[in-house]
Amino acid sequence: MTGRRPTSADVAREAGVSRATVSYVLNDAPGERIAQPTRERVLAAAARLGYAPSLAGRTLANGHSDIVLLAMPDVPAGELTSRFVDAVTRSLAAQGLTLVVHFDVPAAPRLPRLAAMLSVRAVLSLFPLPDADLAALRRVGIRAVPAGTGSDGLATAALLRRQGRMQVEHLAATGHTRLAYALPADPRLSVFAGPRQDGVRQACADRELPAPVPFTVPDDPSAVTAAVRALLADAPQVTAICAYNDEVALAALHGLRELAVDVPGRIAVIGVDGIPLAAYSAPPLTTIAVAPAAAALHLARSAVARLAGERATPVPVEDVLHLIPRATT
Amino acid sequence: MTGRRPTSADVAREAGVSRATVSYVLNDAPGERIAQPTRERVLAAAARLGYAPSLAGRTLANGHSDIVLLAMPDVPAGELTSRFVDAVTRSLAAQGLTLVVHFDVPAAPRLPRLAAMLSVRAVLSLFPLPDADLAALRRVGIRAVPAGTGSDGLATAALLRRQGRMQVEHLAATGHTRLAYALPADPRLSVFAGPRQDGVRQACADRELPAPVPFTVPDDPSAVTAAVRALLADAPQVTAICAYNDEVALAALHGLRELAVDVPGRIAVIGVDGIPLAAYSAPPLTTIAVAPAAAALHLARSAVARLAGERATPVPVEDVLHLIPRATT
DNA sequence: CGCGCCTGGTTACGCGCGTAAGCATCACTG
DNA sequence: CAGTGATGCTTACGCGCGTAACCAGGCGCG
């Protein structure tokens, strides 16, 4: 009994109508011309057979699928990334769109090729796309929605810079003037780390504070303490550490604890992201929390608006970012 | 100049051959019957036009896509989950298969329907599927590869129980006899927490130790300390906590720290998962690390083997699980 | 020389679907 | 009662692709 899956033709036969009628009924055709009794016969037949339309057939006929491609830079997926992707997926699903994430890893097919293969409806990206990719997409008639650029979008780089600024604002308000900036070891994270560090630098410059001292936090736990010790020796005037994100902050915090450095008495620490575990460190970590659902909702709205040819409304920063003061500052 | 995307017909015209020839060349047809010069003309034309085959067309012609659906229970995505999914995706991609994850959230379309719409090649699942779903999939001729069941697969429940057993093994070896089991607050996690807790119970029973005392760790940081205090008051004989996973363990550890309880002197703590941040707690957390890449590789191999009609070889537990002793035990 | 056989292609069809265009039927009007 | 719309459905086509079936030509062989 391992039959094939039912097609709309099966439904048509079952309901005693033509295939076209089935299609009109199931798609709620705008110029509704099907009588109510017929409608019900078709719907009943479809339910009885467990009919589910083939997306392949529909895509071929329509010329495009309902897939939206999210272009992600090649970054190791962290807590926040997955929460964000999850939220975008849900927001788009509410519009009948399916999100597929494309990680720009060297081995993967290039973005325009994948977009063509999937007959995607649109391509979303957090950062401006390379001109070559944009041109390739335009050439095949695919809309690119660069959420990371322009004034109406959730300008990603600006948001990242804002996070850095907020870190400095909080530290400056509590009297710190000599800062260090803790960078992650993985070079692929520089797409995010760069703008955040820029925000910190700019905020320092605005306040006429000396530029923050950069230092890298190694991935290897046993090397972290040595890196922190080196920082304290090289830049003894530093009283606070801005970390790239909470994970880097927690690693640095561990190094400080190993060295029995008083936190926040001797050195204050602040992170970004607001991951759940930041509440459980010793001492609990002060951080700039990101509301991924709010950011994702906006990205999704922006995408839908652009697909409809409208302009999206800017997202208020307060909805997405806020300070969680805890015990490390 | 926003033309349509090139089709194989465009390539055929460009190369001066028929569309069938293009198809044979680009798919490396098994009964190779195309001359080398022609091959090269076709390949050159395809490259020149930037041709990418439409997956919709291919799916329709083949009768199925290259998509494999991974059925996930409705769990909040944690660190390990995303690492695992990532690893499965890569392993399957190496076989030319595309992984799509289906989260069984109440709002989503049901699994068999989605599988039909995508014309999937197979459905993977970490746990045995409901009989109704299995029947529905079989009826439409879709193979289900239940990696979570059977003796040749990566029997998920057995693996989870094994993790619990390993926690007890380590604690018993260091002299602990009265254990508590720390459960997550989110009820959806019970699909994972149940088997792990069972493993702990069984291991205790095997050693004729008293049954572990269960207690729930709240999601709200401010409520954690009270929960831990209640545990210590209600079950003062307990000397060690097995936690559902590292996040729960770190939360419990935070509660113990707040109460100034000596760890591991008065209470030992052990987690599961081996997330990076477990190395940075105070004190650093002992845990049963899971190698998601190894598990994923096996799951992917198992899936591919079953698609080819073979049986998969069992995965050695040592490849997937190992103890990381740190300072909390 | 006629036959079969390999080589290197081509032509023809169908996969499941959306939809434009066609075609009965019937109510209503001048 | 012929003419005119609406109403309710069907027929016909094409989307891009894989592939079975077919066919032209060259070559060895009895």
Side-chain angles (χ1 to χ4, degrees):
Chain A
M1 265 313 286
T2 146
R4 336 163 336 292
R5 32 183 309 238
T7 73
S8 71
D10 296 324
V11 176
R13 203 173 311 116
E14 176 85 5
V17 298
S18 76
R19 224 180 41 65
T21 303
V22 171
S23 186
Y24 286 134
V25 169
L26 294 183
N27 292 340
D28 253 342
E32 189 57 79
R33 336 239 312 80
I34 310 294
Q36 193 58 28
T38 313
R39 283 181 69 75
E40 281 162 13
R41 279 218 318 284
V42 170
L43 291 172
R48 209 174 316 134
L49 296 179
Y51 170 71
S54 152
L55 295 187
R58 179 171 289 182
T59 297
L60 212 47
N62 277 343
H64 61 80
S65 65
D66 281 331
I67 291 177
V68 170
L69 201 58
L70 175 63
M72 288 285 285
D74 180 22
V75 291
E79 166 89 19
L80 191 66
T81 311
S82 56
R83 278 196 294 160
F84 175 75
V85 169
D86 188 64
V88 182
T89 303
R90 287 172 203 273
S91 300
L92 286 178
Q95 311 283 343
L97 297 172
T98 303
L99 186 75
V100 168
V101 184
H102 174 256
F103 290 96
D104 185 22
V105 297
R110 295 291 303 133
L111 181 71
R113 180 179 169 83
L114 184 64
M117 293 199 296
L118 295 175
S119 308
V120 300
R121 189 75 166 280
V123 172
L124 260 58
S125 62
L126 290 175
F127 292 93
L129 291 172
D131 284 343
D133 286 1
L134 274 178
L137 288 175
R138 193 178 1 260
R139 208 176 315 123
V140 300
I142 294 178
R143 314 187 60 133
V145 178
T149 180
S151 55
D152 67 333
L154 175 74
T156 310
L159 195 72
L160 293 170
R161 277 195 300 272
R162 189 93 178 83
Q163 293 166 346
R165 302 188 76 93
M166 288 177 71
Q167 289 181 304
V168 174
E169 280 167 21
H170 177 64
L171 291 175
T174 46
H176 294 278
T177 57
R178 314 297 295 255
L179 312 184
Y181 193 79
L183 289 156
D186 194 319
R188 295 173 299 172
L189 287 172
S190 63
V191 283
F192 294 128
R196 282 185 182 167
Q197 192 178 7
D198 285 344
V200 169
R201 268 198 289 253
Q202 287 173 13
C204 284
D206 290 351
R207 285 168 177 70
E208 301 188 349
L209 302 181
V213 181
F215 82 107
T216 298
V217 176
D219 278 336
D220 177 12
S222 62
V224 169
T225 306
V228 173
R229 184 187 293 120
L231 171 72
L232 295 180
D234 295 350
Q237 74 283 13
V238 163
T239 65
I241 296 176
C242 284
Y244 157 68
N245 70 0
D246 289 346
E247 302 191 14
V248 169
L250 291 174
L253 199 54
H254 181 258
L256 292 168
R257 197 186 311 121
E258 292 270 289
L259 297 171
V261 173
D262 178 24
V263 175
R266 167 70 181 87
I267 299 274
V269 178
I270 185 169
V272 179
D273 278 359
I275 66 174
L277 286 179
Y280 297 129
S281 62
L285 181 70
T286 296
T287 186
I288 308 293
V290 180
L297 185 62
H298 177 76
L299 179 60
R301 278 220 197 101
S302 162
V304 172
R306 295 227 201 173
L307 287 179
E310 307 158 9
R311 294 195 77 69
T313 51
V315 63
V317 171
E318 313 81 62
D319 286 3
V320 175
L321 304 180
H322 66 278
L323 172 74
I324 302 184
R326 294 207 184 96
T328 55
T329 56
Chain B
M1 266 313 285
T2 145
R4 335 164 337 293
R5 34 184 308 243
T7 73
S8 70
D10 296 324
V11 176
R13 203 174 311 117
E14 177 85 6
V17 296
S18 76
R19 224 180 41 65
T21 303
V22 171
S23 187
Y24 287 132
V25 168
L26 295 183
N27 292 339
D28 252 341
E32 190 57 81
R33 337 236 314 82
I34 310 295
Q36 193 57 29
T38 312
R39 285 180 67 76
E40 281 161 12
R41 279 219 318 284
V42 170
L43 292 172
R48 210 173 316 135
L49 295 179
Y51 169 71
S54 153
L55 295 187
R58 178 171 290 182
T59 298
L60 213 47
N62 279 341
H64 61 80
S65 65
D66 282 330
I67 292 178
V68 170
L69 201 59
L70 175 62
M72 287 287 284
D74 179 22
V75 291
E79 166 88 20
L80 191 65
T81 311
S82 56
R83 277 197 294 160
F84 175 75
V85 169
D86 188 64
V88 182
T89 303
R90 287 172 204 273
S91 300
L92 285 177
Q95 311 284 341
L97 297 172
T98 303
L99 187 75
V100 168
V101 185
H102 173 256
F103 291 96
D104 184 23
V105 296
R110 296 290 303 131
L111 182 70
R113 180 179 169 83
L114 184 64
M117 292 199 300
L118 294 175
S119 308
V120 301
R121 189 74 166 280
V123 172
L124 260 57
S125 62
L126 290 176
F127 292 93
L129 291 172
D131 284 343
D133 287 1
L134 275 178
L137 288 175
R138 192 179 359 262
R139 208 176 315 124
V140 300
I142 294 177
R143 313 189 59 136
V145 178
T149 182
S151 55
D152 66 332
L154 175 73
T156 310
L159 195 72
L160 293 170
R161 279 196 298 273
R162 188 93 180 81
Q163 293 166 345
R165 303 188 75 92
M166 287 177 71
Q167 289 181 304
V168 175
E169 280 167 21
H170 177 63
L171 291 175
T174 45
H176 295 278
T177 56
R178 314 296 296 253
L179 312 184
Y181 193 79
L183 289 157
D186 194 319
R188 295 173 298 172
L189 287 173
S190 63
V191 283
F192 294 128
R196 281 185 182 167
Q197 192 179 6
D198 286 344
V200 169
R201 269 200 287 255
Q202 288 172 14
C204 285
D206 290 351
R207 285 170 176 70
E208 302 186 349
L209 301 182
V213 180
F215 82 108
T216 298
V217 176
D219 278 336
D220 177 11
S222 62
V224 169
T225 306
V228 173
R229 184 187 293 118
L231 171 73
L232 295 180
D234 296 349
Q237 74 283 11
V238 162
T239 64
I241 296 176
C242 285
Y244 157 69
N245 70 0
D246 288 345
E247 302 191 14
V248 169
L250 292 174
L253 199 55
H254 181 258
L256 292 167
R257 197 185 311 119
E258 291 270 289
L259 297 171
V261 174
D262 178 22
V263 176
R266 167 69 182 87
I267 299 275
V269 179
I270 185 168
V272 180
D273 278 359
I275 66 174
L277 287 179
Y280 296 129
S281 62
L285 181 69
T286 296
T287 187
I288 308 294
V290 181
L297 186 61
H298 177 76
L299 179 61
R301 278 220 197 100
S302 162
V304 172
R306 295 227 201 174
L307 287 179
E310 306 157 10
R311 296 194 74 70
T313 50
V315 61
V317 172
E318 313 79 64
D319 285 4
V320 175
L321 304 180
H322 67 279
L323 172 75
I324 303 184
R326 293 206 184 96
T328 56
T329 57

